[in-house]
Amino acid sequence: MNFPHRHVLGIKQFNAEELNFILDTAESFKEINTRKIKKVPTLRGRTIINLFFEASTRTRTSFEIAGKRLSADTVNISGSSSSVVKGETLEDTARNIEAMHPDIIVMRHGASGASDYLATRLDCAVVNAGDGTHEHPSQALLDALTIRQHKGEIAGLKVAIIGDITHSRVVRSNIDCLNKLGADVRICGPKTMLPPGLERLGCRLVSNLAEALTDADVVMMLRIQRERQGKTLIPSLREYSRYFGLNENNLKLAKPDAIVMHPGPMNRGVEISTAVADGSQNVILDQVENGVAVRMALLYLAAGGETQSED
Ligand code: CP
């Protein structure tokens, strides 16, 4: 199919056919990651700049590995080591980087809409690696690929997403992605962590964990994002864990073959017990593995979907 998008800013820009096309492209790249020589010439001669203004382990590493496995030249810049600390604006930073002729800028930023802002000002492709509480499209896509891997078909699945919903960009991208792919999404968390109007995104709010877990095919746990909370929104972590934490007992409410997901980083003993995080139903490291393939697909498509060229 013809992929008409220059930038990857959010799941909102894609329809179901395009989402499936990205997942199929990622699927085709997966095998490269298990070869002895994990490198293909697809993006040889292309330059990718990973510009991360927020901490990241999985996303930054996997975008870098994805670029390298496609033979692109990748450069990593973190906010703390850039001239932003001297007062340079995001736009000036990006324009200076663009003057070095990268093909793609992959950016994580604490401000919602930062990637959209750059995309309207730069000529090179922009890939959103997470912007504030807005979107994390590559995470939703790797989650969808993992669900597809374990369940075959996403349409019709009951997916429970539980945790700090207000501050999660992962949940916004996931609700949109899973809805478009035909899943039935239910959301659960403390009232203080549920933003008003969430149902408009196409999910069902459920008030307690037991209701969220009952008959779920997929259980996705999210961490409390204390770094984004202006004030404490729960009495204590112990209480949170008691009412909203996933453990071996309440997981029995989900379907026996339900899979347990977490985008990471996990807070063991808070939103998920160690027994469940390491248990037989967890697919958490499959998510990480699929993250490389999904990011290979996104870089490939953002580069125009072409193989190496001398132009
Ligand atoms: N899931 C995720 O975005 O993890 P990192 O913050 O480590 O990139």
Side-chain angles (χ1 to χ4, degrees):
M1 98 174 248
N2 178 31
F3 190 75
H5 302 279
R6 175 150 181 67
H7 308 289
V8 178
L9 303 174
I11 297 297
K12 62 181 179 287
Q13 75 194 80
F14 301 122
N15 59 33
E17 189 188 3
E18 290 163 345
L19 291 171
N20 278 315
F21 178 68
I22 297 169
L23 297 180
D24 291 343
T25 307
E27 196 86 57
S28 72
F29 280 126
K30 266 184 83 159
E31 176 268 329
I32 296 165
N33 296 317
T34 59
R35 290 183 193 169
K36 194 168 178 191
I37 308 294
K38 302 172 186 63
K39 215 173 184 64
V40 291
T42 310
L43 295 185
R44 193 165 67 190
R46 304 299 183 99
T47 305
I48 299 170
I49 304 214
N50 295 319
L51 186 55
F52 275 66
F53 293 99
E54 280 192 329
S56 169
T57 297
R58 284 147 286 266
T59 312
R60 186 164 74 165
T61 310
S62 56
F63 265 117
E64 183 179 358
I65 288 175
K68 285 188 155 78
R69 290 196 177 155
L70 294 173
S71 298
D73 297 309
T74 59
V75 179
N76 295 320
I77 303 173
S78 69
S80 59
S81 66
S82 76
S83 287
V84 165
V85 294
K86 301 175 197 163
E88 190 169 55
T89 64
L90 171 62
E91 184 169 353
D92 281 336
T93 300
R95 280 197 186 285
N96 278 269
I97 290 170
E98 193 182 44
M100 301 174 210
H101 300 289
D103 297 282
I104 302 172
I105 292 180
V106 177
M107 185 173 74
R108 171 169 288 190
H109 199 282
S112 300
S115 299
D116 294 67
Y117 176 85
L118 270 201
T120 59
R121 285 161 176 80
L122 301 185
D123 289 329
C124 72
V126 176
V127 175
N128 181 5
D131 61 327
T133 59
H134 179 222
E135 281 245 28
H136 195 347
S138 61
Q139 180 69 45
L141 287 159
L142 74 86
D143 290 340
L145 189 63
T146 307
I147 295 172
R148 209 168 79 161
Q149 175 187 332
H150 286 275
K151 296 288 171 191
E153 180 77 25
I154 292 177
L157 292 178
K158 294 182 175 67
V159 181
I161 308 180
I162 297 148
D164 178 359
I165 306 301
T166 298
H167 300 97
S168 175
R169 51 194 172 211
V170 172
V171 83
R172 281 172 188 75
S173 291
N174 257 304
I175 292 171
D176 195 9
C177 185
L178 292 167
N179 257 324
K180 284 172 175 166
L181 297 176
D184 168 21
V185 183
R186 10 166 131 161
I187 300 294
C188 179
K191 280 200 172 69
T192 51
M193 294 181 183
L194 290 176
L198 199 68
E199 299 97 323
R200 283 201 298 270
L201 297 180
C203 57
R204 190 161 60 90
L205 292 190
V206 292
S207 53
N208 68 69
L209 183 60
E211 191 183 346
L213 291 174
T214 298
D215 289 332
D217 298 284
V218 177
V219 180
M220 192 182 293
M221 302 306 294
L222 304 174
R223 76 184 171 94
I224 299 173
Q225 304 209 12
R226 274 176 283 186
E227 74 276 22
R228 294 190 208 284
Q229 295 177 6
K231 57 183 180 192
T232 307
L233 298 175
I234 47 167
S236 70
L237 290 181
R238 202 166 146 183
E239 196 162 326
Y240 179 85
S241 179
R242 185 165 162 215
Y243 290 106
F244 295 99
L246 187 66
N247 57 47
E248 282 176 302
N249 277 333
N250 55 28
L251 180 57
K252 289 181 188 142
L253 293 167
K255 289 195 178 144
D257 63 348
I259 56 171
V260 174
M261 307 179 74
H262 196 304
M266 278 189 285
N267 292 137
R268 288 170 182 260
V270 181
E271 73 272 11
I272 188 166
S273 71
T274 284
V276 173
D278 299 333
S280 60
Q281 287 168 268
N282 105 76
V283 297
I284 295 165
L285 293 181
D286 292 343
Q287 292 174 261
V288 178
E289 183 181 355
N290 285 328
V292 178
V294 159
R295 285 159 183 142
M296 288 168 87
L298 292 177
L299 294 175
Y300 167 72
L301 294 169
E306 298 159 15
T307 49
Q308 59 188 100
S309 146
E310 300 302 317
D311 298 335

